[in-house]
Amino acid sequence: MSTVDTPTIIAAGLDDWRPLVHSLHARFRTGDFATGLDFLVDIGAAAEAANHHPDVQLTYTHADITLTSHDTGAVTDRDLDLARIISDLAAERGLEADPGRLTRLEIALNAVDKDTIGPFWAAVLTGEADAYDGEQVVDPTEQVPLLWFQPTPPRDGVPQMCFHLDIWIPAGQLPSRIEAAVAAGGRVVDDSESPSFVVLEDAEGNKACLCTVLDRS
């Protein structure tokens, strides 16, 4: 199964869904827990029929659905197909999507030698040093966010620890999210790579990147 790129995902017309990182995401407003459970039963039956299974999270007010093809580490045609089916199931129950609320968080750590520190962070975050795959730490239980290591030269010959947050949001939410951050006392540090990412900082210089899937190779 071949992967599909961001322009293909956007052209697919999946209005309920948004690509974030290497996956498709949707949030459906259920209104109550019982309705959400019934909706997930529908999704489960569709997933079994397709032999392709989403990750789901249910709260009292909404259901979050994530689609990705784990054998490719990206979105494929089967994800697009299942997304359409899930949207149809939601429409049958009168459930509305809420794509403006979608967010995915990653933590980035400046690293001079990621292979030296990667296993340590894997061990403290997940209990298993082999959760470091050479580029990032991924918790198989998904209890902690992904940690990736940003290649960084040492400063004055000495590495300096520096974390920042990568907040992945739908591309259409980028202007309003920047506006809200600036209104709340932050400032834009670098928007030269927009809409791929925009760097902001708070009043004390702590940085965060607002990221989208647009303009990425």
Side-chain angles (χ1 to χ4, degrees):
M1 180 66 66
S2 59
T3 62
V4 293
D5 58 16
T6 298
T8 301
I9 295 172
I10 293 173
L14 301 172
D15 294 338
D16 297 338
W17 300 80
R18 297 293 185 272
L20 300 177
V21 200
H22 304 298
S23 49
L24 276 177
H25 297 256
R27 169 171 289 188
F28 295 95
R29 294 192 292 266
T30 56
D32 62 75
F33 202 73
T35 299
L37 282 174
D38 290 341
F39 179 44
L40 293 191
V41 170
D42 292 343
I43 293 174
E48 286 296 304
N51 193 28
H52 187 49
H53 303 88
D55 293 328
V56 300
Q57 182 177 16
L58 178 64
T59 72
Y60 186 82
T61 59
H62 61 267
D64 287 337
I65 318 296
T66 301
L67 286 168
T68 190
S69 295
H70 296 288
D71 55 346
T72 66
V75 176
T76 66
D77 287 330
R78 60 189 168 204
D79 297 301
L80 303 185
D81 292 340
L82 188 53
R84 293 188 183 94
I85 292 171
I86 292 172
S87 287
D88 289 343
L89 293 172
E92 290 171 6
R93 290 187 171 275
L95 305 180
E96 295 184 355
D98 191 6
R101 294 289 185 178
L102 296 171
T103 304
R104 182 166 178 178
L105 175 66
E106 292 182 349
I107 301 173
L109 174 59
N110 290 356
V112 176
D113 186 351
K114 57 185 174 58
D115 291 333
T116 296
I117 65 174
F120 166 82
W121 285 102
V124 298
L125 288 171
T126 74
E128 300 290 340
D130 59 7
Y132 170 66
D133 66 7
E135 296 291 336
Q136 58 197 12
V137 174
V138 179
D139 177 12
T141 69
E142 298 186 347
Q143 294 183 87
V144 297
L146 181 147
L147 171 67
W148 76 281
F149 301 94
Q150 180 166 301
T152 307
R155 301 176 185 174
D156 299 324
V158 180
Q160 296 186 16
M161 180 176 177
C162 183
F163 280 103
H164 72 266
L165 303 182
D166 285 345
I167 303 96
W168 289 82
I169 60 176
Q173 298 298 315
L174 184 59
S176 61
R177 188 69 64 96
I178 293 172
E179 181 180 0
V182 171
R187 74 179 189 93
V188 175
V189 177
D190 184 359
D191 61 1
S192 62
E193 299 294 333
S194 181
S196 178
F197 66 89
V198 175
V199 183
L200 300 99
E201 67 179 15
D202 65 17
E204 295 186 357
N206 302 299
K207 292 179 173 58
C209 290
L210 292 177
C211 306
T212 81
V213 297
L214 297 183
D215 290 357
R216 293 177 180 268
S217 56

